[in-house]
């Protein structure tokens, strides 16, 4: 007999203990080789004054087992409590959020009977880095960070996941017609990595039309890979139209550690009544079994679950008015069907292919030549006219720089700007030395001093670089 794989398990709050008991019972009867280590996280821990909801022993267990099966937890009302999921995700580097959204028509009615897609959402970067600043009374900014290694890791994970789970196509959603550098990088990486997987079809949509198509014809998608914000939105659209919010599981995957759970919460309204549906957590557990290399057990549980619902054994939330069973009876019905497969619903197969990690891929190091082309100086001003600011900056440019242009909210306003745009108090002013001429950092410092001498209030700098000779900054509208 194979050695049992240690896993960390949190039974959670509300309906958590009931659905975890049902899930563990099914896994045990299916012959999953797991050795659970139970930890407390969530409400109880928050209420001891621990603002993360995660005690030291829990971190130690997670570091030891590297696999976490987590029931939903309750975040107490009131301020000061940090989201447990966000804390675990960021502290443990769980960069991929994986959420399958499947229709179980005709057992559970659905407008999209053939829907069967998986969203692979990047979990760490993008606008969720949470780097925000108010710069002037009128203007705040939120930094969108997309990195090449972060994009390579998530895109590779999506293709590897597709291979492991017998999926045929990966679709990338980005908005690179507008965000040419950030989303452009994600798309570029997608094209490079897709070429390494000729057995898997790849496609791409601009995210707005892509989302519309998910909502309208979800059956055309298989695996979707997308940056954090779009992934957040797409996951909820897809789960909602699949009608499976109570049924879906999700995984958060890192290079070392992974966490598996249901997508729903702790449902305090039905806690203790033994009527909760354990299916969402069970689906999280099935993903966990595939992840830890036990595809046979995963397949056995998944097919028995499909057969159970196909036979009309449903908890109240699935039955929608028809006869229903409680949590324990539902689990017993799944156990009874272990070894069986559904006939109307499509049976699943899982292979024992393993996922190749990005960090194990050896890439040749490419030399990157970086050249400083100039700088964008951002100013706060709500008293002077465009021409008055422009003339001061012409003087500040001196003999060293050319004052190329000034924009307001991205629209060129000087010289020869568009007078139709409304003007905020936030100005972006571009200084360069002319085609192909490099700038020294000391020259930028001197420029800033001259700008201060003109009584202008600069708030930040953004340097303009070329990488390997290619311009790596956006041009303003009208430039
Ligand atoms: P919820 O998902 O707990 O409940 C929404 C509705 O769905 C309720 O009517 C509930 O009874 C029903 N429901 C949910 N799961 C069900 C199941 N398995 N079987 C049958 N019915 C089910 O969302 P909520 O009420 O907004 O949140 C309750 C608590 O859960 C909050 O404290 C919230 O912070 C927490 N929460 C935790 C997680 C997590 O741990 N990952 C996720 C979401 C919400």
């Amino acid at each position: 007999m194979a050695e049992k794989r240690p896993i960390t398990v949190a039974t959670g709050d509300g309906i958590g203990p009931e659905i975890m008991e049902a899930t563990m019972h099914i896994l045990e009867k299916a012959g999953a080789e797991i050795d659970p280590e139970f930890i407390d996280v969530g409400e109880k821990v928050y209420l001891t004054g621990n603002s993360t909801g995660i005690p030291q022993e829990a971190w130690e267990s997670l570091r030891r087992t590297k696999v976490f099966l987590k029931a939903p937890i309750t975040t107490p009302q009131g301020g000061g409590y940090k989201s447990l999921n966000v804390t675990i995700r960021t502290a443990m580097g769980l960069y991929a959020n994986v959420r399958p959204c499947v229709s179980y028509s005709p057992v559970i009615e659905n407008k999209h009977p053939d829907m069967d897609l998986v969203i692979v959402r990047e979990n760490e970067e993008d606008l969720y880095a949470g780097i925000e600043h108010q710069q002037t009374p009128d203007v705040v900014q939120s930094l969108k960070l997309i990195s090449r290694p972060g994009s390579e890791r998530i895109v590779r994970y999506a293709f590897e996941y597709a291979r492991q789970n017998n999926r045929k196509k990966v679709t990338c959603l980005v908005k690179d017609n507008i965000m040419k550098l950030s989303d452009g990088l994600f798309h570029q990486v997608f094209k490079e990595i897709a070429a390494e997987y000729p057995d898997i079809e790849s496609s791409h949509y601009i995210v707005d039309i892509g989302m519309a198509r998910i909502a309208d014809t979800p059956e055309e998608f298989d695996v979707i890979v997308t940056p954090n914000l779009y992934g957040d939105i797409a996951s909820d659209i897809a789960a909602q139209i699949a009608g499976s919010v109570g049924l879906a599981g999700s995984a958060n995957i890192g290079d070392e550690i992974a966490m598996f759970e249901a997508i729903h919460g702790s449902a305090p309204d039905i806690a203790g009544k033994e009527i909760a549906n354990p299916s969402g957590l069970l689906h999280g557990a099935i993903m966990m079994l595939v992840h830890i290399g036990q595809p046979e057990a995963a397949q056995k549980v998944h097919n028995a679950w499909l057969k159970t619902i196909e036979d009309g054994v449903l908890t109240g939330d699935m039955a929608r008015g028809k006869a229903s069973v409680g949590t324990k009876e539902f689990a017993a019905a799944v156990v009874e069907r272990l070894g069986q497969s559904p006939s109307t619903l499509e049976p699943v197969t899982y292979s024992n292919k393993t996922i190749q990690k990005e960090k194990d891929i050896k890439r040749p190091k490419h030399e990157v030549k970086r050249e400083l082309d100039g700088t964008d100086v951002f100013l706060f001003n709500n008293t002077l006219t465009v021409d008055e600011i422009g003339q001061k900056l012409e003087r500040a440019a001196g003999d060293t720089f050319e004052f190329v242009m000034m924009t307001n909210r991205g629209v060129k306003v000087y010289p020869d700007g568009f007078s139709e745009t409304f003007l905020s108090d936030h100005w972006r002013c571009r200084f360069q030395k002319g085609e192909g001429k490099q700038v020294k950092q000391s020259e930028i410092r001197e420029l800033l001093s001259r700008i201060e001498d003109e009584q202008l209030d600069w708030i930040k700098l953004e340097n303009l670089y070329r990488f390997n000779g290619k311009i790596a900054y956006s041009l303003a509208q009208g430039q």
Side-chain angles (χ1 to χ4, degrees), residues 10-14 39-55 58 68 70-76 81-85 88 266:
T11 53
D13 303 315
I39 57 162
D40 269 337
V41 296
E43 196 172 24
K44 257 194 280 178
V45 181
Y46 281 122
L47 295 177
T48 64
N50 179 328
S51 68
T52 62
I54 311 162
F68 188 20
K70 177 181 147 291
I73 58 115
T74 301
T75 312
Y81 300 110
K82 290 191 191 135
S83 155
L84 186 141
N85 271 20
I88 294 179
S266 57

Side-chain angles (χ1 to χ4, degrees), residues 15 19 70-75 85 246 261-270 275-278 317:
I15 58 170
I19 59 174
K70 177 181 147 291
I73 58 115
T74 301
T75 312
N85 271 20
E261 60 182 344
I263 69 171
H264 60 72
S266 57
D269 52 335
I270 56 164
I275 55 169
N277 186 352
D317 56 309

Side-chain angles (χ1 to χ4, degrees), residues 26 30 282-283 286 296-311 313 330-342 345 347-348:
I26 296 168
L282 188 66
H283 278 117
I286 291 167
E296 305 81 9
Q299 190 168 314
K300 200 167 173 187
V301 172
H302 201 154
N303 283 328
W305 180 83
L306 288 167
K307 176 78 172 129
T308 305
I309 63 164
E310 186 178 278
D311 287 349
V313 184
F330 184 79
V334 176
V335 168
E336 237 171 66
R337 288 166 179 78
L338 286 168
Q340 299 181 31
S341 284
L345 297 170
V348 295

